[in-house]
Amino acid sequence: MTLVADAVSTYAVRRERARDLGARYDFAQGPMRLYLALVDAQERAFERAQRDRPAPTEMSEFVVRVALPGVMEAAVAAGTERLREAVLVRFHDGDLEGMVESWLAGETQDATDAFLARASASPVLEALPEGATALRPAKVTDRECPRCGGLPQVAVFSDSGEALLTSQRRVVCSRCAHEWVLSRMTCASCGETAGAKLPIFSDVDQFPHLRVDACELCRRYLITIDLRKDPRAVPIVDELAALPLDLVAAERGYTKIARNLMGF
């Protein structure tokens, strides 16, 4: 199967899952409505990036010219009133390439800049592994994306296919969506391995396939998706619908390793 065909399949699956979660959970209707608008814009940006293949040095300009207009349009059409106003103000402030360059460099940004830059640039990085690789620092730990150096967004367990073989834990990059294997009993933020310092909590009635993996040492956490309990789950979409677990984690004093697209 070609890369373009894979992309079409990937975005179709994400779109279908977002519709399902929005219908299933009342609290997810707003975020999923916005995501559905964004995913259309992101799919177009992905396909255009694969066709045009901008060089890494042209990445910011390409993102602003090709991807950002669709993201802004989606945010205005399907976002909250607060988001719509923030996006319009940000557009008039200018220096949009600087905003994207800052996100690509991993710099701290306010919520609006981070949302716009990530929603616009991430599908381009996903489409162009060589562009993502250009962002990777000289040294990365096993807790950072081996492709671009980004932080993990969500962890995933899938069926190993063998009864006596424990499935690996894979983590998904918050910048380029690349997946890599990370030891199961390791904090994805600081590398702590003592089980007593790695609490797990969940809401099995509402989210049987989701849980929070936290760390008492660094006070960070990430959401884990168990595909063995729900094979239809799409990690980067289901993580957006895990807001109740995010709120529980925040109440207990934990901070997410990498905020998701919606800022949670």
Side-chain angles (χ1 to χ4, degrees):
M1 184 178 290
T2 67
L3 285 176
V4 172
D6 284 340
V8 172
S9 174
T10 295
Y11 280 96
V13 169
R14 292 175 183 176
R15 193 176 285 109
E16 181 180 358
R17 186 61 173 177
R19 292 193 183 106
D20 177 44
L21 294 175
R24 185 185 309 180
Y25 302 117
D26 289 343
F27 65 83
Q29 289 179 0
M32 290 302 108
R33 181 170 57 253
L34 174 57
Y35 180 74
L36 283 167
L38 289 171
V39 81
D40 290 341
Q42 290 182 325
E43 183 176 32
R44 293 193 298 270
F46 185 106
E47 294 172 348
R48 180 73 177 274
Q50 283 206 320
R51 185 174 73 246
D52 294 357
R53 309 201 71 79
T57 55
E58 302 169 342
M59 184 74 67
S60 297
E61 185 276 334
F62 180 86
V63 168
V64 170
R65 175 169 52 85
V66 173
L68 184 59
V71 166
M72 285 188 160
E73 182 180 349
V76 170
T80 63
E81 181 177 354
R82 181 177 180 181
L83 177 61
R84 292 195 296 269
E85 292 176 352
V87 165
L88 292 173
V89 169
R90 186 62 187 84
F91 174 75
H92 290 294
D93 284 345
D95 192 21
L96 299 177
E97 284 191 35
M99 175 187 73
V100 173
E101 289 172 358
S102 178
W103 184 82
L104 292 173
E107 298 173 359
T108 300
Q109 296 178 292
D110 66 32
T112 303
D113 279 17
F115 166 78
L116 290 172
R118 177 175 182 172
S120 303
S122 59
V124 177
L125 294 180
E126 193 173 355
L128 302 173
E130 65 275 18
T133 300
L135 302 176
R136 186 182 63 204
K139 294 183 179 180
V140 296
T141 70
D142 62 351
R143 302 179 304 280
E144 297 166 318
C145 177
R147 176 174 289 171
C148 77
L151 297 175
Q153 181 64 65
V154 61
V156 185
F157 286 124
S158 56
D159 193 341
S160 68
E162 299 183 29
L164 300 180
L165 183 63
T166 302
S167 64
Q168 294 178 318
R169 176 173 71 158
R170 302 185 67 83
V171 288
V172 182
C173 179
S174 59
R175 289 207 295 186
C176 71
H178 180 65
E179 296 185 13
W180 72 100
V181 175
L182 183 63
S183 175
R184 293 167 63 97
M185 292 303 296
T186 301
C187 171
S189 177
C190 71
E192 175 63 46
T193 58
K197 294 185 180 297
L198 301 175
I200 295 171
F201 48 95
S202 61
D203 181 344
V204 295
D205 293 328
Q206 188 172 33
F207 302 114
H209 67 301
L210 304 181
R211 76 185 197 195
V212 170
D213 285 298
C215 178
E216 292 289 354
L217 189 64
C218 66
R219 306 299 297 178
R220 299 280 182 170
Y221 80 95
L222 84 169
I223 300 294
T224 292
I225 315 289
D226 194 335
L227 296 177
R228 299 166 300 182
K229 297 179 179 179
D230 188 348
R232 298 171 301 169
V234 178
I236 64 171
V237 182
D238 283 59
E239 195 267 354
L240 295 173
L243 177 58
L245 293 180
D246 287 321
L247 295 176
V248 170
E251 289 173 357
R252 298 188 183 191
Y254 298 104
T255 301
K256 187 176 279 187
I257 294 172
R259 290 182 179 273
N260 62 33
L261 179 60
M262 301 303 173
F264 299 115

